[in-house]
Amino acid sequence: MNVRTVLIILLGLSGSACAQPPGDGTLDSTGMEAAAAARAEHIVRANCSGCHAIGLRGASPLPSAPPFREIAERRDLFVLEQDFAQGLVTSHPEMPPFHYRASEIDDLMAYFRWLEREGLRP
């Protein structure tokens, strides 16, 4: 196989992996942004979904924890990204501090951008 064939195969495989949607199954974009959002889904399911609603619908398990879609809608995502970089700490005693690697923050921001975009759709 030549290099071009290998690249086409790899792109096809990564595209099929990207087609797996985060959250509630409504992500329909492909590419690096979708792959990042899909990786972030694992992070938010493991660390956040016990308190926050992480998808496009549904209530948060902890009523005082805002759904992520509302955070994406209300917060400046640039500021949220800085908060993640500094170690996300809130004044809510129920929420533990979280510290993420730069690559994880990139993925989380892709997830929040996805929530923001999808929330704007009619």
Side-chain angles (χ1 to χ4, degrees):
M1 264 190 271
N2 64 30
V3 172
R4 184 173 183 211
T5 304
V6 171
L7 286 174
I8 290 171
I9 291 169
L10 288 175
L11 285 172
L13 290 174
S14 68
S16 64
C18 295
Q20 295 301 316
D24 59 3
T26 58
L27 180 66
D28 61 359
S29 60
T30 59
M32 290 173 45
E33 179 88 353
R39 285 189 303 271
E41 179 189 14
H42 297 288
I43 295 170
V44 300
R45 281 199 188 284
N47 297 317
C48 313
S49 65
C51 297
H52 295 271
I54 61 170
L56 294 172
R57 292 177 286 285
S60 292
L62 181 65
S64 63
F68 275 12
R69 65 185 174 278
E70 289 179 13
I71 294 171
E73 187 179 289
R74 293 189 315 228
R75 296 273 318 260
D76 179 324
L77 295 185
F78 178 75
V79 173
L80 181 62
E81 183 174 11
Q82 290 177 329
D83 290 344
F84 279 128
Q86 293 172 5
L88 188 60
V89 178
T90 70
S91 60
H92 302 291
E94 300 92 11
M95 186 167 163
F98 288 99
H99 301 281
Y100 296 105
R101 295 186 313 260
S103 61
E104 293 171 320
I105 294 169
D106 290 342
D107 292 347
L108 288 165
M109 296 317 300
Y111 192 82
F112 277 96
R113 284 190 297 274
W114 170 74
L115 287 169
E116 182 181 49
R117 274 192 313 273
E118 291 299 315
L120 294 174
R121 292 186 181 203

